[in-house]
Amino acid sequence: MKRIESDGLGSVELPEEALYGIHSYRAMENFPISHRMIDDELIDSIVLIKKAAALVNKENGDLEKEKADAIVKACDEIMEGKHHDSFIVDAMQGGAGTSANMNANEVIANLAITFLKGKPGDYKLVHPIDDVNMHQSTNDVIPSAARLACIDKSDRLINNLNQLVGVLEEKADEYGDVIKVGRTQLQDAVPMKMSQSFLAYASMIERNIIKIRENMKHLYSLNLSATAIGTGINASEAYYDKMIGKLSELSQKDLSYFANLFDGTQNADDFVSLSSSIKTCALTLSKMASDLRFLSSAPNAGLNEINLPAMQSGSSIMPGKINPVIPEALNQAAFLTVGHDMTIALACEAGQLELNAFLPVIFFQLFEEIEILNNAVSVFTDRCVKGISVNRDVCAVDAGKCYSLATALNPLIGYDHATAIVKKAKAEKRSLFEIAEREYGLSREQLEELLDPLNQSGNPK
């Protein structure tokens, strides 16, 4: 069975019980781009705004109680995870998100109609625009919903980053007594504690968490009530007075209005700032992942300082080969984040005058980069870092034969003489201890103290 719906362009046939309507259907036909539907959290955030609007409009006497209650019930069902399959619009769409907003309006309206014992499409009972979209525009609903979704996604990422910090700190405690060779430019440098490596990574992540949180703060300002461009046309003063408070209550977030609603409607730089901080975090995580791959190069022809958990066979031809696949996955998540961040920056710049038409690609890329990095961090923590073990004997041997130990002799005999000792020790394949004692008459007690790797590793952290 079919039903007919009409708009300014003509009429279309829809399945009789479909919760979507003509506007959603046209958008589905127009944008077979990514074949990926609107993000679930964005759907729920849009619907939450619709619920808040219905409650405010009911309180203000602008929306009949029966209609408002049906709309609220429809919103609650959708936010419970039901009916998401009725959101049929591709995430990559033209129109600054109008299709996503209309899809939400139609699904909510038709679901509310069924609660009022009507059939989908009977918009005399509940109208998608006049009732569900009352006092709203795509141009204030969609950016506001995206900000809410970004807050939730970023909170999950931060939670996983904090878990990674905790695991790194545990590794520092476990291997605090291990001395290893520090390296600069892939060459032997001075000794350090293994704990200092782990704690440096933890400190880096904590710093990036602070940056992400700082950029998240701007997402709590919304351009709701701006409607089309910032003038607030068709939004009542009573709606403006109550809407941000109602949404704060429902979302359990301390939200506020943009100081300038025109600014909040036409600019997307807060999304760029968030993406930039996530990109920075991804790059530093990728550097750490690469470090771990390098330090674990093994078992017989590499550094072999640490062991990464063996997760799967590494070759279809070389028996027994194991590869660092989990750090490699984190590397690739970082590469993706960098590319997405560039797209977001370009789309932000391309906005013109009173609206950015390219919000859909900004949200598409930003949601994906956060989700993928979040998943990669979780896997990296659970399936790599937690299982790291340190080869104590390898580290001890390498630290003991490191010629950079001679650095500690500089204050006593000078850089040039210390260099000569290193050169002679290498040429004769003898220890620094022997050369320094023989050539410069340094006492055994002095050398034992100065050339002890433990004494050169600095403070415990």
Side-chain angles (χ1 to χ4, degrees), residues 46 81 117 144 160 162 169 194 212 229 246 250 261 307 326 340 376 404 406 413 431:
I46 295 170
K117 308 305 181 186
S144 296
N160 276 328
N162 277 321
E169 290 174 342
M194 184 63 75
I212 294 171
I229 64 172
K246 182 63 70 176
L250 295 179
L261 292 178
N307 305 303
I326 305 300
H340 281 26
S404 293
I413 62 177
S431 71

Side-chain angles (χ1 to χ4, degrees), residues 181-189 287 290-295 297 303 305 404:
V181 178
R183 295 180 180 83
T184 58
Q185 292 156 280
L186 300 184
Q187 305 299 306
D188 295 349
K287 187 267 182 187
S290 295
D291 284 353
L292 297 183
R293 289 166 52 211
F294 182 62
L295 293 174
S297 58
L303 292 183
E305 282 191 3
S404 293

Side-chain angles (χ1 to χ4, degrees), residues 177-329:
D177 60 329
V178 177
I179 302 297
K180 58 163 288 193
V181 178
R183 295 180 180 83
T184 58
Q185 292 156 280
L186 300 184
Q187 305 299 306
D188 295 349
V190 295
M192 64 185 294
K193 291 183 174 71
M194 184 63 75
S195 59
Q196 291 164 330
S197 283
F198 289 123
L199 291 175
Y201 295 138
S203 175
M204 169 270 291
I205 296 168
E206 289 176 323
R207 186 176 66 256
N208 278 279
I209 290 173
I210 291 171
K211 292 177 183 177
I212 294 171
R213 283 202 186 281
E214 189 64 33
N215 284 299
M216 285 174 63
K217 290 179 183 178
H218 303 289
L219 301 176
Y220 287 82
S221 294
L222 309 181
N223 70 320
L224 283 177
S225 303
T227 64
I229 64 172
T231 63
I233 188 170
N234 291 351
S236 70
E237 187 174 338
Y239 175 86
Y240 175 86
D241 289 341
K242 293 182 179 179
M243 186 59 184
I244 203 71
K246 182 63 70 176
L247 188 59
S248 294
E249 175 190 331
L250 295 179
S251 67
Q252 298 184 317
K253 295 177 174 64
D254 187 14
L255 305 171
S256 63
Y257 286 122
F258 260 88
N260 185 304
L261 292 178
F262 290 90
D263 170 24
T265 304
Q266 65 187 255
N267 293 309
D269 51 288
D270 50 349
F271 296 111
V272 178
S273 296
L274 178 64
S275 176
S276 178
S277 62
I278 291 170
K279 177 194 70 175
T280 302
C281 181
L283 290 172
T284 50
L285 288 169
S286 184
K287 187 267 182 187
M288 177 174 67
S290 295
D291 284 353
L292 297 183
R293 289 166 52 211
F294 182 62
L295 293 174
S296 69
S297 58
N300 300 315
L303 292 183
N304 199 29
E305 282 191 3
I306 64 173
N307 305 303
L308 303 182
M311 304 309 300
Q312 63 187 59
S313 297
S315 174
S316 61
I317 188 173
M318 292 174 280
K321 190 174 190 295
I322 303 295
N323 292 331
V325 293
I326 305 300
E328 289 170 352

